[in-house]
Amino acid sequence: MSYETLLFEVRDAIAFITINRPDKLNALNDQVVDELADAAERVASEPAIRGAILTGAGQKAFVAGADIADLAKQGPFDGKARALRGQAMLRRFETCGKPVVAAINGYALGGGCELALACHLRLASETAKFGQPEVKLGIAPGYGGTQRLPRLVGKGNALQLILTGETIDAREAHRIGLVNKVVPAPELLAEAERMVRGILGMGPLAVRLALEAVDRGLEMTLDEGLLLEANHFGLLAATRDMKEGLTAFLEKRAPKFEGR
Ligand code: COA
């Protein structure tokens, strides 16, 4: 698929994905969602891609939400279908098995905040702003906000954002655990790349299974989650990468992981 609303560039194993509708503050219309779904599939399935960074074009917005012009036309059944399509796209990023970092360069509102929530780590510029303003429009979050936000920041903080529709700045987002780190705007992409490259230096199978254990484990009982973790721990003991990682430590050298 060739993209009209995204910039997609792979540099040294990282997919840099930029949502590129700056005149509409990178709002997620149906085309953006379809193209992001294709991009997520590429990240998940192409061996040459080992991690991804998502950001928005321009200085002002990461993504200012679902496209309100599209929403204005929808009825109950296409509304539900739209929510399911957006949710599936975000879930593909979340379960792609490779680190995905959101580099949040401005407004992350509604679907933009939900896009960031589906990424594994969130890095914000000092100028970023966050909110779930859907209730102001007579709708509720539809791309996972009611589910991922309370899991990330707790029920009280999530309900404050979802029920008031208020916008918070990057410092407040960091205080409540919505973002992992806040950096000056000019350093955002370099810092996101540094973050992903750091993870790419780790054992890729270990990273994949850790992502899976955290994602799946949150939906399990403690005992089920601990069993999943132990199974992963045992599985990794069968890999060359584990032997390489432990041997390299004992030999006081850097490991060379191969992903097997
Ligand atoms: N969907 C569609 N278009 C959007 C949009 C969205 N979610 N957010 C912004 N835009 C468009 C505006 O309509 C405007 O287009 P125009 O120039 O053709 O009129 C353009 O992007 C610039 O936005 P504008 O509102 O003029 O910028 P601003 O600096 O005055 O305000 C915001 C910025 C983010 C506060 C404001 O755009 C806003 O509230 N957007 C909607 C946020 C929202 O409710 N998102 C959740 C949707 S479910």
Side-chain angles (χ1 to χ4, degrees):
M1 180 188 240
S2 64
Y3 302 133
E4 290 174 7
T5 65
L6 302 182
L7 306 176
F8 188 103
E9 188 190 358
V10 181
R11 286 203 311 266
D12 293 335
I14 298 178
F16 291 80
I17 303 167
T18 307
I19 296 139
N20 189 27
R21 293 182 79 207
D23 55 323
K24 296 292 179 190
L25 304 188
N26 304 319
L28 302 176
N29 63 12
D30 292 343
Q31 187 178 6
V32 181
V33 170
D34 287 349
E35 292 185 7
L36 279 172
D38 188 84
E41 192 54 42
R42 287 191 61 184
V43 172
S45 61
E46 290 185 16
I49 299 175
R50 297 181 52 219
I53 294 172
L54 280 165
T55 195
Q59 306 297 317
K60 202 165 159 184
F62 174 66
V63 167
D67 192 304
I68 294 171
D70 280 357
L71 301 185
K73 294 180 213 136
Q74 73 190 9
F77 288 94
D78 49 340
K80 179 178 177 181
R82 170 168 289 117
L84 290 174
R85 272 200 312 278
Q87 290 173 359
M89 174 273 286
L90 295 179
R91 190 71 180 135
R92 195 69 186 119
F93 277 114
E94 193 172 38
T95 59
C96 74
K98 302 166 185 179
V100 180
V101 171
I104 303 151
N105 53 308
Y107 287 112
L109 300 176
C113 192
E114 291 168 306
L115 177 63
L117 287 170
C119 295
H120 302 122
L121 295 170
R122 281 153 296 281
L123 190 61
S125 88
E126 286 170 342
T127 55
K129 295 203 173 359
F130 298 81
Q132 296 286 166
E134 287 90 342
V135 286
K136 293 183 179 173
L137 302 168
I139 53 175
Y143 289 171
T146 63
Q147 303 306 304
R148 291 194 181 90
L149 192 57
R151 282 169 169 77
L152 189 65
V153 302
K155 186 175 168 185
N157 286 320
L159 282 175
Q160 180 160 345
L161 287 167
I162 291 169
L163 298 183
T164 67
E166 72 183 350
T167 300
I168 58 172
D169 64 17
R171 296 277 157 215
E172 177 65 3
H174 186 246
R175 191 190 68 77
I176 66 172
L178 178 47
V179 297
N180 298 91
K181 194 171 176 183
V182 181
V183 297
E187 293 166 26
L188 181 68
L189 276 181
E191 180 61 20
E193 182 168 356
R194 200 193 60 76
M195 217 178 220
V196 178
R197 294 223 178 274
I199 299 169
L200 296 190
M202 311 298 161
L205 299 175
V207 167
R208 177 179 291 267
L209 292 187
L211 283 170
E212 189 180 310
V214 171
D215 184 76
R216 297 296 158 118
L218 275 173
E219 310 311 321
M220 293 176 171
T221 64
L222 180 62
D223 281 340
E224 288 165 346
L226 290 172
L227 181 60
L228 177 69
E229 181 184 89
N231 285 337
H232 283 178
F233 200 74
L235 189 58
L236 288 169
T239 65
R240 290 165 63 126
D241 276 357
M242 188 202 81
K243 287 180 186 56
E244 167 63 10
L246 301 183
T247 306
F249 178 85
L250 295 173
E251 293 176 353
K252 301 189 188 303
R253 61 174 175 80
K256 286 201 188 91
F257 294 118
E258 298 172 14
R260 60 198 173 114

